[in-house]
Each structure stands twice: as C-alpha cells, then as structure tokens.
Amino acid sequence: MLARQTLRLSTRARLFSSTAARPAAAEVKRLGVIGAGQMGLGIALVAAQRANVPVTLVDASQASLDKGIAFAEKLLAKDVAKQRITQEQADAARALFTPTTTLDSLADVDFVIEAVPEIPSLKFDIFSKLAEICPKHAILATNTSSISITRIAASTTGGRPTDTSNSSRVVSTHFMNPVPIQKGVEIIAGLQTSAATLETAVAFCQRLGKVASVSADSPGFLANRILMPYINEAVICLETGVGDRDSIDAIMKNGTNVPMGPLQLADFIGLDTCLSIMKVLHEETGDSKYRPSVLLRNMVDAGWLGKKSGKGFYDY
C-alpha cells in the first residue's frame, strides 16, 4: 500500500516532500553542450541568444562542429533579415560560442547538457567522464528522450552506488525539436537526483524562455509516453486499411487543430527514432499496447526513415 502511495507522488512532490524549504536554484554562468547536431546546436543557440550565457560546444568531429556553427550563423542571419534581432545582437550571440573537440574543455561550466545519439553505452561513457571533468557543483543534464535517468546517473558513481555526490546532480532536460521554436521542455529526475539539481534545471530552462514540465523517470517520460503510441496507432490504421495516409493526417489536423498529422510528424521526427522509442516502451513496460506497428518496422528496414532520408510516408 505504501509503495502505491509513493508511486502516486509526482517527481517534484517526492523531492520536496520533507518539511525543509525548497532549495534555491544555483546560478548558471557558463553552459556546456555536448553534440553539435540539430538538438545540441539549438540548445546552445537559445542559451546564447535568450540568456546571454557563454557556451562551450563540444563534438568529437571537427566537421560536425564546423557544420553546426555554420548553421547557427545561418539562423542568426535569418533573424536579422526578418528584423527579429539586430546585427549587433547576432554578433554578440555568435561571440558566446566556443567550439571544441575535447570534453576536458568543460572543466569550468556550471551546467552541461548532453545531446548525442540515443545509444546507452555512449551516454554512460560520457557521464562517467563528466563526473571527473566538471566542477563538483555543475549540473550534469541529458537530452535523452527515452533512456532511464537513473541508469545514466548510476554511470557517474565509479562503481560506488551509495556515493551520490555525482549521481545526485544528474537530471534530464529533454528539449522539444526544433529547440529555437518549441517552448516545451521535460525535466526528469532520476532516483538519485537531488531537489537542488531539479530546481536549478527548472529555473535554467525557464531562463531560456521554456515552459518546463516535470516528469518521473518512467519509460517514455511524458512527451513520448503520450506521443509515440498516438503515432504508432496512426501507422496501424494505415497498415490495416482503416484510412489512407491523407485521410489520417487530415482528420487529426482539421479535427484537433494540430499543425501536422501523425504520419507527417513521424516523418519529421524520423521513423527510426519512433521505432526505437516504441521498442523501449514495449520492452520496459511489458505492455502489448506499446507493440510497434509491423509497417513501421518494415519501413525502417527499407531505409525509408522520413524527411532525413528523402522518403517516409511522404516523398521529400
């Protein structure tokens, strides 16, 4: 009975359930971002533009760094052309970027956000290194959309799980894509995450102009726990002939006022990403309602991954 009552507590309620006052958020003077892809670059750009925070942008590939910086400059130039910002503001934001290929460059950050591909072993390795490199006050955040925060936090303990000096500062800041446009961000606390870490993560995301939603460390968290079964069911409707592609997307766009239908949205997310998240939901919950659509599996096997491959439910 006690276990059930505990599960009903929200993450924030669990962390702030004691009589102690809610901890104050720590100040973030310098941000580190790992991964110069679309998500990492978007996070870095928003931090520089909206919060005036210096950003150390890390990627193992110099080519990826160059491509990411060029894309940031393109977005800034577009904002200048549309008179959203001045050229001086664009130059000031660009000057806040420090691109580098070494994790050791994160030795002076107050907050670091990892935004690399959804490969558990890769994330575990990165966080193990961050625990040694970053200052002991620094928050270690991940942008994961599906991997357990508790597992990621455990990778920082050096085999000493009862020592929570590092794991207590691990949290997820799961930004929505594209980061400069979407306001939503999920804040997910692992079992080890401290109340101070959670409060700092929420406050920093709000400083970036985001609307934070706090989630428990449960498969799929909030966004994908709701979104991916919706997309998967749309694929099943197509697969079983309940409706054709255009009818499925049209009824959701015109019936629920969403900007794009579920099949078009899946193409933009990437069908391989959708499949990966559905597999996580299915495997970790054991619930058959999360079984990935056969058609979704087949399309990924065919290499029809959506917009990024040129073909998905639509042709690009």
Side-chain angles (χ1 to χ4, degrees), residues 32-174:
V33 176
I34 304 172
Q38 185 176 16
M39 292 301 296
L41 192 281
I43 294 166
L45 186 59
V46 166
Q49 269 194 286
R50 300 180 187 173
N52 197 35
V53 175
V55 181
T56 301
L57 181 62
V58 183
D59 198 291
S61 165
Q62 184 62 51
S64 294
L65 276 174
D66 293 341
K67 183 179 179 181
I69 294 297
F71 184 56
E73 291 172 346
K74 180 180 178 181
L75 292 177
L76 289 169
K78 185 177 179 181
D79 282 346
V80 171
K82 293 190 174 184
Q83 298 184 333
R84 294 170 180 161
I85 60 174
T86 65
Q87 185 61 55
E88 290 74 18
Q89 288 172 322
D91 292 340
R94 171 63 183 87
L96 290 171
F97 279 77
T98 302
T100 176
T101 57
T102 62
L103 282 176
D104 288 340
S105 301
L106 299 174
D108 63 346
V109 300
D110 304 301
F111 202 111
V112 59
I113 301 174
E114 163 274 311
V116 304
E118 290 288 275
I119 303 171
S121 60
L122 175 60
K123 292 183 186 286
F124 299 157
D125 180 59
I126 288 173
F127 274 80
S128 175
K129 292 174 180 175
L130 290 178
E132 299 299 322
I133 294 169
C134 296
K136 292 304 178 184
H137 72 274
I139 303 299
L140 310 179
T142 174
N143 189 57
T144 183
S145 60
S146 60
I147 300 170
S148 166
I149 312 308
T150 298
R151 290 180 64 200
I152 293 175
S155 69
T156 68
T157 65
R160 301 181 298 277
T162 56
D163 179 1
T164 60
S165 58
N166 288 319
S167 59
S168 65
R169 54 195 180 112
V170 176
V171 69
S172 176
T173 51
H174 177 213

Side-chain angles (χ1 to χ4, degrees), residues 230-231 233-235 237-238 243-268 312-314 316:
Y230 159 70
I231 288 175
E233 191 63 31
V235 180
C237 285
L238 179 64
D244 61 27
R245 179 198 69 185
D246 293 345
S247 293
I248 291 168
D249 276 356
I251 192 59
M252 297 313 297
K253 286 174 64 177
N254 299 308
T256 63
N257 201 33
V258 292
M260 63 177 69
L263 301 179
Q264 184 184 12
L265 178 58
D267 276 356
F268 274 74
F313 295 107
Y314 295 81
Y316 300 89

Side-chain angles (χ1 to χ4, degrees), residues 263-279:
L263 301 179
Q264 184 184 12
L265 178 58
D267 276 356
F268 274 74
I269 293 171
L271 302 192
D272 52 339
T273 300
C274 294
L275 177 60
S276 175
I277 296 171
M278 286 304 301
K279 285 180 176 178

Side-chain angles (χ1 to χ4, degrees), residues 206-224:
Q206 290 173 339
R207 184 178 165 193
L208 300 185
K210 302 302 180 183
V211 177
S213 296
V214 179
S215 170
D217 186 14
S218 182
F221 315 134
L222 283 176
N224 285 325

